[in-house]
Amino acid sequence: QVQLVESGGGSVQAGGSLRLSCAVSGNSASQYCLGWFRQAPGKEREGISTIDTAGITRYTNSMKGRFTISKDNGKNTLYLQMNSLSSEDTAMYYCAARQAYTGCGFTRALFGYWGQGTQVTVSS
């Protein structure tokens, strides 16, 4: 079992940056594929990025360039650095974990653990 708690969301003006954090407890973050997803009102939850146990990162095409995923296994914490934010980035942001043997893609159903989310609001 693993528990995930996101933080770092808030309100920011367009063009600004935010860094989200996700504290992992229960088991070591190094044992899981970890990922970031987001869900805007009226839209499906979409993948942003994942990082596997070897530190290999993946991004969905639309998220490449502005978002950077990282993790600190010593602190059991996952991060998402977000730059050049626009109003289209307004959403609830979630971190998630899946067992490493299941791979590290973006299939939501394979992520068995989710945080409660942190809201990001970008004003233009």
Side-chain angles (χ1 to χ4, degrees), residues 83-98:
N83 299 325
S84 302
L85 290 165
S86 73
S87 57
E88 294 183 352
D89 296 313
T90 294
M92 187 72 80
Y93 284 71
Y94 299 89
C95 67
R98 61 190 275 183

Side-chain angles (χ1 to χ4, degrees), residues 33-38 45-51 56-64 69 96 98 102-111 114:
C33 161
L34 302 173
W36 286 101
F37 293 76
R38 71 182 185 184
R45 191 169 299 188
E46 62 176 342
I48 299 172
S49 182
T50 65
I51 184 166
I56 295 172
T57 59
R58 298 170 176 81
Y59 297 88
T60 54
N61 287 337
S62 60
M63 307 297 177
K64 288 179 181 177
I69 193 171
R98 61 190 275 183
T102 67
C104 208
F106 293 98
T107 304
R108 294 197 308 270
L110 293 177
F111 284 84
W114 293 84

Side-chain angles (χ1 to χ4, degrees), residues 3-110:
Q3 293 80 43
L4 307 168
V5 179
E6 303 95 334
S7 62
S11 296
V12 64
Q13 292 206 334
S17 298
L18 280 175
R19 188 176 81 154
L20 306 183
S21 298
C22 174
V24 181
S25 62
N27 278 321
S28 172
S30 63
Q31 299 177 23
Y32 295 87
C33 161
L34 302 173
W36 286 101
F37 293 76
R38 71 182 185 184
Q39 187 167 18
K43 295 187 177 181
E44 286 194 3
R45 191 169 299 188
E46 62 176 342
I48 299 172
S49 182
T50 65
I51 184 166
D52 67 17
T53 56
I56 295 172
T57 59
R58 298 170 176 81
Y59 297 88
T60 54
N61 287 337
S62 60
M63 307 297 177
K64 288 179 181 177
R66 297 188 300 119
F67 293 2
T68 303
I69 193 171
S70 62
K71 65 177 179 175
D72 185 329
N73 286 333
K75 294 182 178 180
N76 248 15
T77 302
L78 176 72
Y79 302 100
L80 184 69
Q81 177 68 42
M82 307 187 295
N83 299 325
S84 302
L85 290 165
S86 73
S87 57
E88 294 183 352
D89 296 313
T90 294
M92 187 72 80
Y93 284 71
Y94 299 89
C95 67
R98 61 190 275 183
Q99 298 287 350
Y101 69 85
T102 67
C104 208
F106 293 98
T107 304
R108 294 197 308 270
L110 293 177

